[in-house]
Amino acid sequence: MPSLASSPPYSHGFHPKSQDFKSNVCTIDVGGHLFQTTKQTLALAGPNSILSQACDDKNVIFIDRDPELFAILLSLLRTGNLSSKAKGIDLQDLIFEAKFYGIEHVLVGSQSNPSQFEAFNLEKSLVLSLNGRDSPNCMSTTPYGSVHVAHGSKITSFDWSLRKKATILTEFSAVDSLLSISPVIAAAGATDFSGLQILDLEKGFVRETLSWENVTRSSSTVQAIGSSPDYLFSSFESGRRNSSAIMVYDLQGGFRPVAEIGHCEIYGADLGSAIPATKLSWVPSYNLLMASGSHSGPHGVMGNIKFWDIRSGNVVWELKENVDCFADVTVMDNLSAIFKVGVNSGEVFFSDMRNMGAENSWECLGDKRKAMSGKKEGVGCKIQSHNNQVFCSKGGDLELWSEVMVGSLRKTDDYADGRVFRKNLMGREKDMGGSRITNLQFGGNKMFVTRKDQQCVEVWQSSVRGF
């Protein structure tokens, strides 16, 4: 028998019956029902919660609320998960109670935590209907799963529980670019309306309009929006479509403009000299901004992918797209890789960011088919990266690409530097097919999908305890 000195410490929630133990116990009367717990458990509610304040009261405090809901929330504080009893409770009722006690953040963390996202376990769990007849143009999410959807001139917002819905009308005839800055603030732009607008989606008004003017002082429209933790990025094109630039704004300093990069002008017949960026993605590990854009000309679709150092305003790496230009492109910071869908072939290609500067750096991950004459297989395909996976739409279906861990790093004919990627088809068979996928976004433990000519948003989710 081990000595007391070598005995393990008491586990969380269990204490010996001593005077110290009794002084550590708090008793709360909720709606006539007594609950006992420890000061440590109540402290998990956070300093702004009325529960943490109850730790300092030596008397039994009375709270005139529902004891059944309190029991579930207390169990949530103890374990970090909702108990099985929560399945019989409406989530909105729990949200109201959690807000009263000041512990909504704990409930959000248990139900919509990004760490709960499981790419191989996603299934269509919900369909969010939209008001009106317009199909979604674009959408944007927040880290814990609230989503803003632009459809026509309107923006509809759903909170993290996807139960609350609010719709506002914008000045745009159609919103083409949308970025969530917070659960209630978003940046929006249109390709036929001048200026980048900062919108308060809760109160329904324009907080600020950000603009860019070229040397001719003509109006400018927004082609893409992106952000980093410190900056907001917007790609502008002049109203005459003869110049473009990317503006950098300070997110922490009232959207003050801090830099202009990539200012280009069209000279003569060289249409490729001022292709505006239509996608902006921040790459944290490299501290670079990826900007990509393309256009269709007499010689086919051409474009470029540039990586900008916003501090110096210089291009660190550029990929010129002359053969099988991208229909869509994404960057995966976790794997130091860029992925594109070829507009001609419809195949997925990979480029290793660790080989910046290398020419002809694209590696085909698909069947390496050649595009049929005159037919662009990749038109309309979307590609997005999330965590360690790449999601690519092909018509109404979704492909999931993941890197395979291999035991050897030897170079092969098929894969550069021994990096191997494999494809899986997403979801259950009954969830797939249908109209062409037009948007893919990720937030919390969810994936959001929109389809052509459908006035709704599909929610794909892994199973979560409690609901």
Side-chain angles (χ1 to χ4, degrees):
M1 178 181 293
S3 65
L4 291 177
S6 61
S7 297
Y10 294 103
S11 62
H12 180 71
F14 178 78
H15 302 272
K17 291 185 177 180
S18 64
Q19 190 64 35
D20 291 339
F21 165 69
K22 292 179 180 178
S23 64
N24 194 45
V25 172
C26 298
T27 302
I28 303 175
D29 185 341
V30 181
H33 290 68
L34 293 179
F35 294 87
Q36 284 191 318
T37 187
T38 64
K39 291 183 178 179
Q40 287 90 340
T41 296
L42 293 181
L44 295 174
N48 298 323
S49 170
I50 63 174
L51 296 179
S52 61
Q53 296 168 12
C55 297
D56 302 325
D57 199 323
K58 296 181 180 179
N59 300 316
V60 176
I61 66 169
F62 175 77
I63 303 176
D64 190 15
R65 303 294 288 193
D66 188 324
E68 183 181 6
L69 296 177
F70 179 78
I72 294 173
L73 294 177
L74 182 58
S75 175
L76 173 63
L77 283 177
R78 288 168 173 160
T79 65
N81 296 297
L82 284 176
S83 66
S84 58
K85 296 178 181 179
K87 292 182 179 179
I89 303 295
D90 187 270
L91 178 58
Q92 202 62 48
D93 291 340
L94 271 183
I95 293 173
F96 288 146
E97 287 299 287
K99 286 182 176 179
F100 171 81
Y101 291 109
I103 59 171
E104 187 185 12
H105 63 285
V106 182
L107 183 60
V108 173
S110 71
Q111 293 298 292
S112 193
N113 197 312
S115 64
Q116 297 169 338
F117 185 89
E118 298 178 14
F120 293 101
N121 191 31
L122 292 176
E123 56 187 44
K124 187 163 64 175
S125 59
L126 186 64
V127 175
L128 307 176
S129 60
L130 301 171
N131 298 325
R133 300 182 179 181
D134 296 305
S135 300
N137 307 328
C138 54
M139 58 182 172
S140 184
T141 60
T142 61
Y144 278 88
S146 56
V147 58
H148 307 305
V149 187
H151 48 117
S153 59
K154 301 177 290 295
I155 298 176
T156 296
S157 301
F158 299 86
D159 67 6
W160 67 269
S161 69
L162 304 180
R163 303 291 182 93
K164 181 181 178 182
K165 180 170 69 171
T167 300
I168 67 167
L169 188 64
T170 69
E171 297 178 304
F172 305 118
S173 57
V175 179
D176 298 304
S177 300
L178 186 65
L179 179 75
S180 300
I181 297 175
S182 77
V184 297
I185 303 296
T191 57
D192 61 354
F193 195 97
S194 182
L196 173 68
Q197 294 189 353
I198 308 300
L199 305 175
D200 187 316
L201 299 176
E202 188 173 51
K203 298 178 180 178
F205 73 97
V206 180
R207 291 182 49 171
E208 192 168 353
T209 299
L210 308 175
S211 301
W212 172 74
E213 291 183 344
N214 64 358
V215 292
T216 63
R217 296 190 177 277
S218 62
S219 62
S220 57
T221 59
V222 173
Q223 305 297 308
I225 313 172
S227 69
S228 72
D230 299 314
Y231 300 108
L232 175 69
F233 311 107
S234 181
S235 169
F236 288 98
E237 184 180 35
S238 66
R240 298 179 181 179
R241 297 189 175 181
N242 60 351
S243 61
S244 61
I246 298 172
M247 289 297 298
V248 182
Y249 301 97
D250 187 354
L251 270 178
Q252 314 303 325
F255 303 104
R256 175 179 56 89
V258 295
E260 175 187 307
I261 60 177
H263 186 170
C264 299
E265 302 281 344
I266 290 180
Y267 296 102
D270 186 10
L271 299 178
S273 62
I275 300 174
T278 53
K279 196 167 189 178
L280 299 172
S281 303
W282 181 249
V283 192
S285 297
Y286 291 81
N287 216 27
L288 298 174
L289 175 67
M290 186 188 81
S292 60
S294 64
H295 74 92
S296 182
H299 302 292
V301 182
M302 302 176 64
N304 56 61
I305 302 170
K306 297 180 180 180
F307 287 84
W308 290 92
D309 182 342
I310 62 172
R311 294 164 299 183
S312 65
N314 296 326
V315 176
V316 176
W317 188 29
E318 179 178 7
L319 296 174
K320 294 184 178 181
E321 297 285 283
N322 299 320
V323 179
D324 204 6
C325 182
F326 59 86
D328 197 13
V329 61
T330 189
V331 60
M332 182 182 285
D333 190 46
N334 292 358
L335 297 181
S336 295
I338 319 166
F339 296 85
K340 75 170 184 177
V341 187
V343 70
N344 294 324
S345 65
E347 297 287 3
V348 175
F349 293 81
F350 149 79
S351 183
D352 197 327
M353 291 184 66
R354 296 174 301 183
N355 299 328
M356 278 191 179
E359 295 183 1
N360 301 320
S361 56
W362 291 114
E363 291 286 337
C364 182
L365 301 183
D367 300 326
K368 300 185 179 180
R369 296 173 300 167
K370 293 184 178 179
M372 296 176 63
S373 177
K375 187 174 181 181
K376 293 182 172 60
E377 301 283 348
V379 170
C381 292
K382 299 294 180 181
I383 190 166
Q384 290 282 5
S385 60
H386 186 63
N387 291 349
N388 291 325
Q389 279 82 32
V390 174
F391 300 79
C392 181
S393 71
K394 298 290 182 69
D397 290 328
L398 269 176
E399 297 175 353
L400 172 63
W401 290 88
S402 305
E403 185 170 19
V404 179
M405 297 296 102
V406 293
S408 172
L409 292 180
R410 64 185 179 83
K411 200 165 186 176
T412 68
D413 293 335
D414 294 329
Y415 302 100
D417 299 326
R419 301 187 71 172
V420 179
F421 293 86
R422 287 287 183 261
K423 176 180 69 175
N424 288 274
L425 290 178
M426 289 254 345
R428 300 169 297 187
E429 187 174 353
K430 70 181 184 66
D431 292 332
M432 297 310 301
S435 301
R436 176 173 59 85
I437 292 172
T438 54
N439 287 286
L440 283 175
Q441 289 290 331
F442 302 87
N445 58 348
K446 308 173 187 71
M447 176 177 71
F448 299 90
V449 176
T450 64
R451 297 179 184 271
K452 187 178 187 300
D453 297 329
Q454 293 189 4
Q455 293 77 43
C456 61
V457 179
E458 296 176 5
V459 181
W460 291 60
Q461 190 174 7
S462 307
S463 58
V464 179
R465 280 192 65 184
F467 293 93

